[in-house]
Amino acid sequence: MSARTPHPGTGDPHRSPRAPAPRPRAAVAVDRDDEVDLRMLGPALGAWSGAVVATRLELVTAVSVTTAAVLVCLVLSRVLTPLRRRSAWVGLTLVLLLTSVVLGSVRTESHRRSFVAELAQDGATVRAVARVTTDPRVVRGTFGSATVFAATLVRAEARGRAVTLRAPVTVWVRGDPPIIGLGEEVEVVGRARPADDSAHAATLSATSVRPRPGGDPAWWWDAAGSARAAVSASVASRGHDVSALVPALVHGDDHALPDDLRAAFQTSGLTHLLAVSGTNLTLLVGFLLALARPLGAGPRSRVVLAVLATVAYVLLARPEPSVVRAAIMGLVGVAGLSTGGRRRGARCLAWAVVAVVVLDPWLATSAGFLLSAVATGGILLLAPVWRDALARWMPRWLAEAVAVPAAAQLACTAPVAALSGEVSVVAVVANLLAAPAVGPATVLGLSGGLLGLVWAPSGAAVGLVTALPAGWIVLVGRRAADLPGAAATVGDGPVAVSALVVVSAAIAVTGHRLLRRPVLTCLVLAAVTAVTVAPLRPGWPPRGWVMVACDVGQGDATVLKAGPGSAVVVDAGPDARSVDRCLRDLGVRNVPAMLVTHDHADHVDGLPGVTRRRSLAWIGAGPSSPDVTDVPVRELTAGDRWRAGEVTLTVLGPLARPGPSGVVPTAVTEDTANDASLVLLAETSGVRVLLTGDVEPPAQRALAAAYPTLQVDVLKVPHHGSAHQEVAWLTGLGARWATVSAGEGNTYGHPAPETLQHLRDAGATILRTDPGRDVAVVVRDGQVSGVVR
């Protein structure tokens, strides 16, 4: 048949022969290669679900639930035509589900049935030999500090038995931290208690931890420790923020990071830079491969180099689950993007998820793994499409710089809201500005450490250059967090999270169409910014405010105005970011005194937020004092009185002597810390405010006996409005306004309805923070009133 002769049935015989049939097929092939292949999504979710079931349920229950799910899937695959057509994928999903459940359940059950777990049920004392598997870290508590680390018991002795085993445990040591390192064998003596999760066989409250003779860590742990120390030494003199940030960028060690900087990064959406992620590995391995190519390294040599670099990095950053997860995700990103096409990238990600949850089923319940997986998915699936759309009207390099962080942020929006109840509004812009500096800071930081191992001055010289991009990241994080509306509170309930999932999915599907049009894109961004900033109510703080109860969740933070830009802060809540936000909104720049009623986390953990770029003269506390080293701490006693600007404060309690109806102890214990709270009377603008901490009926009765004529205008209701109150004292204070600081939906039932009703019956108007708002007491024309934000 002639090439010019049309095939029967093809239509017009005069059609031009210049449109050969193979060309459309080639175009279709290219399009298919760029299509999203989600067939592995089901098997990956099956393996993930199996790991969750295995780690959360007992063996019998897990097997029963899985068997029921498999039977339902088999029935549906026989009944529903779409599933029957995809029987191979359904079968693979069921196989991975069963595999994940079986392997995870076997490992979980081995922990629950181990010799150490049996001893933990009875609280037995154990003498053991253990190998340290994580770096020891110091945890500050209400009654001192403790050192905690994970370890694997290799030998345990108790009740006349000596057993050789392999059981993961968590070890707590009170007092001075033991001098031990990762990979070292130690001798432990302590009481075994049940573990908090199925990943460990027990928790050991150790009374003694000491290195075992001959149990030194392997040489590679010493080498990794030396490299970590060299990275820190190379930037040690470059400012506190930079010297703490660079180790976090290079190998995830963020223990020295200031709490205020950590809070700023969380608000600005840069927290992922502070932990080991696939990005770290991708940057460092990519840098090594880029150096190897000009040196003549072939494909096989580069593969070997990539594997060796990955192993070395895991040792440097410590082979903890989060690091292994990051290494796998980093290799997925490199493999998926290097092979080209979103189809292969999605498959790589799905198989990586399967590998991770099968190797370590407990990562299936990890928030870090969830965020890492969805962020990688967003980069692989959305970023190329958005980049191509933006590249129609902007340089390709800029389009990619915008698309990658935007895609990752969109993918993480709903999970982050489910975890924190907030969505960072400035995250995309902050990540866009910080992104050019992340690579140089990470690569230079590691280079400075490695050179410092050879010759310390060379490492310090590189550290000087490293400070430039690292300092830029710090600047971006702090400035972005200070922007109005940097983080929007959306709640973590199922309705809010579901709505975010729907909105994110709609943006993912249709976003590329918008991004092709520059004018429309700019208009939409302007509209979003306007909607975000509009609800910020520029009228806050209200005119004439004298006291504000900050919304810090389930905790206390009260601000007393001392003058323009100045305030006394009583308690700091549980979260540095929340109290910092409250003070920033009030325009507070100077804190002449910070008063801590008692050393419980919901009152003191937010302290770094008070000092964030604010001057703080001193901290006042009672018998239960916080462990603060960089700010002077004064112990206050009943009768102390002083003036700070516009406010005068008097300490009423805790009382040093018992009252007739109760005793306020001077020796503070876990059970008496609430009654040891500082009780303060503040007087400002003719208003008397009583701040009561968490005092309970014994201390309340003592106060009633010591100050029988005490009358106030405003009462900070004790203990978040709990039901445990001395009602006669509470209602006899004559307060016409009462503030209650509690977290919305808290599990304690605060505030108690009966407590609120008693106050209302006494004539008090109640201002509550638990709907998620700050409340203020104001004085205008000599009249006291309340304002709700």
Side-chain angles (χ1 to χ4, degrees), residues 441-652:
T442 304
V443 173
L444 288 171
L446 179 60
S447 301
L450 295 179
L451 289 173
L453 289 174
V454 180
W455 189 39
S458 64
V462 176
L464 179 63
V465 181
T466 308
L468 297 176
W472 171 252
I473 297 172
V474 170
L475 180 65
V476 170
R478 289 196 181 279
R479 292 294 181 265
D482 287 339
L483 291 175
T489 301
V490 296
D492 56 359
V495 175
V497 175
S498 299
L500 283 174
V501 169
V502 173
V503 172
S504 299
I507 295 175
V509 172
T510 62
H512 63 285
R513 299 178 181 176
L514 169 67
L515 297 177
R516 293 173 182 170
R517 299 169 174 82
V519 176
L520 186 57
T521 299
C522 294
L523 289 176
V524 169
L525 290 176
V528 170
T529 302
V531 170
T532 302
V533 176
L536 293 181
R537 302 188 187 184
W540 191 264
R543 180 176 60 86
W545 74 277
V546 294
M547 168 192 171
V548 168
C550 300
D551 172 29
V552 292
Q554 183 61 22
D556 266 1
T558 305
V559 185
L560 301 168
K561 186 176 180 181
S566 178
V568 173
V569 181
V570 182
D571 289 331
D575 175 50
R577 181 180 53 175
S578 297
V579 70
D580 173 52
R581 186 272 314 159
C582 181
L583 294 174
R584 188 171 64 245
D585 291 351
L586 293 172
V588 174
R589 300 178 300 276
N590 173 52
V591 180
M594 165 75 203
L595 306 177
V596 178
T597 60
H598 61 297
D599 193 19
H600 276 173
D602 57 338
H603 292 252
V604 301
D605 277 9
L607 182 58
V610 177
T611 59
R612 181 184 178 190
R613 280 179 293 172
R614 297 181 185 89
S615 60
L616 172 58
W618 55 277
I619 294 175
S624 178
S625 301
D627 184 12
V628 180
T629 59
D630 54 348
V631 179
V633 178
R634 302 178 186 174
E635 184 172 345
L636 302 176
T637 59
D640 289 347
R641 181 182 177 91
W642 74 98
R643 185 175 183 86
E646 300 174 2
V647 60
T648 300
L649 293 117
T650 305
V651 180
L652 303 184

Side-chain angles (χ1 to χ4, degrees), residues 191-556:
R191 187 176 297 276
R193 302 187 184 279
D196 295 330
D197 54 53
S198 61
H200 299 89
T203 297
L204 292 185
S205 297
T207 56
S208 172
V209 175
R210 59 183 182 181
R212 184 178 182 229
D216 296 336
W219 64 267
W220 50 81
W221 294 127
D222 288 336
S226 299
R228 289 165 68 95
V231 169
S232 298
S234 68
V235 291
S237 60
R238 306 306 169 198
H240 188 44
D241 285 350
V242 169
S243 62
L245 176 62
V246 171
L249 291 173
V250 175
H251 51 73
D253 182 6
D254 63 347
H255 78 278
L257 205 73
D259 288 334
D260 61 326
L261 182 59
R262 192 189 307 273
F265 273 40
Q266 184 173 356
T267 301
S268 57
L270 299 177
T271 305
H272 61 92
L273 299 179
L274 306 179
V276 175
S277 68
T279 304
N280 304 67
L281 183 66
T282 302
L283 289 171
L284 297 174
V285 173
F287 175 70
L288 289 176
L289 295 180
L291 290 179
R293 189 184 297 272
L295 297 176
R300 293 183 180 179
S301 299
R302 291 198 298 272
V303 170
V304 173
L305 178 62
V307 173
L308 292 177
T310 300
V311 173
Y313 182 75
V314 169
L315 292 176
L316 177 68
R318 308 311 201 197
E320 298 178 6
S322 61
V323 177
V324 176
R325 175 207 74 213
I328 293 176
M329 289 300 168
L331 291 177
V332 165
V334 173
L337 293 176
S338 63
T339 55
R342 296 190 295 162
R343 171 189 294 266
R344 297 185 183 92
R347 287 180 180 175
C348 288
L349 176 60
W351 280 113
V353 169
V354 172
V356 168
V357 299
V358 169
L359 292 173
D360 191 343
W362 293 278
L363 279 177
T365 59
S366 164
F369 176 61
L370 172 63
L371 294 176
S372 182
V374 297
T376 304
I379 292 172
L380 290 174
L381 303 179
L382 289 180
V385 179
W386 287 6
R387 175 201 60 204
D388 294 342
L390 291 169
R392 290 172 174 250
W393 53 278
M394 66 170 60
R396 189 175 180 82
W397 64 268
L398 180 59
E400 189 158 3
V402 173
V404 170
Q409 188 63 35
L410 178 67
C412 292
T413 296
V416 167
L419 295 171
S420 67
E422 290 188 345
V423 173
S424 177
V425 178
V426 300
V428 173
V429 176
N431 276 275
L432 174 61
L433 293 175
V438 173
T442 304
V443 173
L444 288 171
L446 179 60
S447 301
L450 295 179
L451 289 173
L453 289 174
V454 180
W455 189 39
S458 64
V462 176
L464 179 63
V465 181
T466 308
L468 297 176
W472 171 252
I473 297 172
V474 170
L475 180 65
V476 170
R478 289 196 181 279
R479 292 294 181 265
D482 287 339
L483 291 175
T489 301
V490 296
D492 56 359
V495 175
V497 175
S498 299
L500 283 174
V501 169
V502 173
V503 172
S504 299
I507 295 175
V509 172
T510 62
H512 63 285
R513 299 178 181 176
L514 169 67
L515 297 177
R516 293 173 182 170
R517 299 169 174 82
V519 176
L520 186 57
T521 299
C522 294
L523 289 176
V524 169
L525 290 176
V528 170
T529 302
V531 170
T532 302
V533 176
L536 293 181
R537 302 188 187 184
W540 191 264
R543 180 176 60 86
W545 74 277
V546 294
M547 168 192 171
V548 168
C550 300
D551 172 29
V552 292
Q554 183 61 22
D556 266 1

Side-chain angles (χ1 to χ4, degrees), residues 136-138 144-149 172-180 206-209:
R137 58 187 176 90
V138 176
S145 59
T147 302
V148 59
F149 60 91
W172 289 80
V173 190
R174 293 285 183 184
D176 295 334
I179 303 175
I180 55 176
T207 56
S208 172
V209 175

